[in-house]
Amino acid sequence: INAGPLQNGVTSRLFLANWRNTHTLIDDDKQKLQWHVIWGGQGQHEQGTSPTSGFSQERTMASGFIDTQAQYGNLSAEAGVRVEHFDQFGDHPLFKTAAAWQIKPDLTLRASSGTGYRLPSYTELLFLFFGNPQLRPERSASGNLGLEWYPVTAMQITLNGYYHRYHDLISPAYDPRRGPITLNVADASVAGMELTAQYAWMDSLDTGISYTY
């Protein structure tokens, strides 16, 4: 970025490797019985530099995960655990669960929950106008409950309620002394509902409307 007397440059590189395996233990379409186990790992190496501030950093993450997915009649469920190891921030286990109940062919009830861990990006750390090198990683826990309805073949209506809880939420803010900045919010929660309607007029054309509170 060249803004006259203000100059800032941020360069980041990301190297990523994924390994994923799927094992099918039960697969009976007629009885609606399925059971799958998915496991694998991920390696990630990231580099960030800012010549104008002299900042230079490398960070590495290695993770392993295992998920299980099952269906029994009109009920389906998923559960998984993932362990992430960061060379600078140690080990962090993450969990997720999800379930669905097909009440009728055109009506499904869904629920899910999980935890998260996120490092600040190099843009959030270094960018001239809102970067903050003192940012800490963000932790979160969330839950969702929703209905999915198909009143006619080409129309879908979904109603979803959600709740998210954050510790050290990474969020843009405004500091009267320096202007825009990205900060950690010690504790934050977000709750709301979302209503969406979508209609497919043809294979290449669909329209929709949504409302979020």
Side-chain angles (χ1 to χ4, degrees), residues 143-146 159-163 192-194:
N144 295 270
L145 180 65
L159 177 64
N160 186 55
Y162 56 87
Y163 177 80
M193 298 188 70
E194 183 177 26

Side-chain angles (χ1 to χ4, degrees), residues 65-77:
F65 68 88
I66 183 168
D67 292 349
T68 182
Q69 302 172 354
Q71 180 183 4
Y72 180 76
N74 293 330
L75 297 174
S76 60

